Amino acid sequence: AASTRLPRICIAHEHVDVDEGYSAGKTIPNTHPSVHEMMVGYLPEGHRNVDMMLKNPLLYPLPSFHPPLEQMVSRRTVWSPGVILSSIVLLLLLLCIGVRNCKKLRAARARPRLRTPEAARSTGKSMETIHIRFDVEAAAPDRSQNLPKPQHCNSSGTDPSPTAHGYETI
């Protein structure tokens, strides 16, 4: 005793239109799940095997009194709960990475960095990995004191630029 109520089989949103495919004679692939087993409780007695009909739609045309096949399916939306959750997690991760990188960039721009060939040779690191903080106030000599001339100054001792003393700004 089959139910008179039509079944509702859930299919993917991108699934082909069942009525159009069946009337055009398109067969289902061998990997397709068994439709007959999903509908066995709804089929009237003597109904042919649904899978056999879907594999040979031209041999088994639907009778005129048969309900449309599309009425027996419900399509899942693209935005399933899993897709929504995954999208939110991915967006939060990208937001965190972006905020962290912005903070690093601001901090890097806030402090001037100098690198010297001598520091690179003494530490064995490349010039790109040496970062020396250059504090202008601490490096500026106090005019009220008579300080000895630093050894790294040029011969005239008047050029205040860091590049004149072997420093390269980055």
Side-chain angles (χ1 to χ4, degrees), residues 33-136:
S34 174
V35 179
H36 187 78
E37 289 185 24
M38 291 184 243
M39 299 184 67
V40 77
Y42 298 96
L43 298 173
E45 285 192 36
H47 195 285
R48 291 192 175 140
N49 185 303
V50 178
D51 295 324
M52 182 179 65
M53 294 174 66
L54 291 173
K55 288 183 181 176
N56 297 302
L58 294 177
L59 291 175
Y60 306 103
L62 293 177
S64 60
F65 61 86
H66 197 281
L69 299 175
E70 276 292 318
Q71 285 183 2
M72 296 179 217
V73 297
S74 63
R75 296 180 184 276
R76 290 187 299 261
T77 63
V78 177
W79 296 103
S80 67
V83 171
I84 293 171
L85 180 63
S86 298
S87 299
I88 291 171
V89 169
L90 179 64
L91 287 174
L92 288 175
L93 178 68
L94 292 175
L95 182 67
C96 290
I97 291 171
V99 167
R100 185 195 65 182
N101 287 342
C102 285
K103 285 181 179 180
K104 282 185 173 183
L105 184 61
R106 284 186 184 148
R109 287 184 180 170
R111 64 177 189 275
R113 294 176 287 164
L114 297 174
R115 58 184 178 186
T116 64
E118 295 82 21
R121 279 192 292 277
S122 67
T123 61
K125 295 182 178 178
S126 69
M127 291 283 288
E128 287 75 25
T129 60
I130 302 296
H131 301 290
I132 300 172
R133 185 174 172 105
F134 184 73
D135 191 352
V136 177

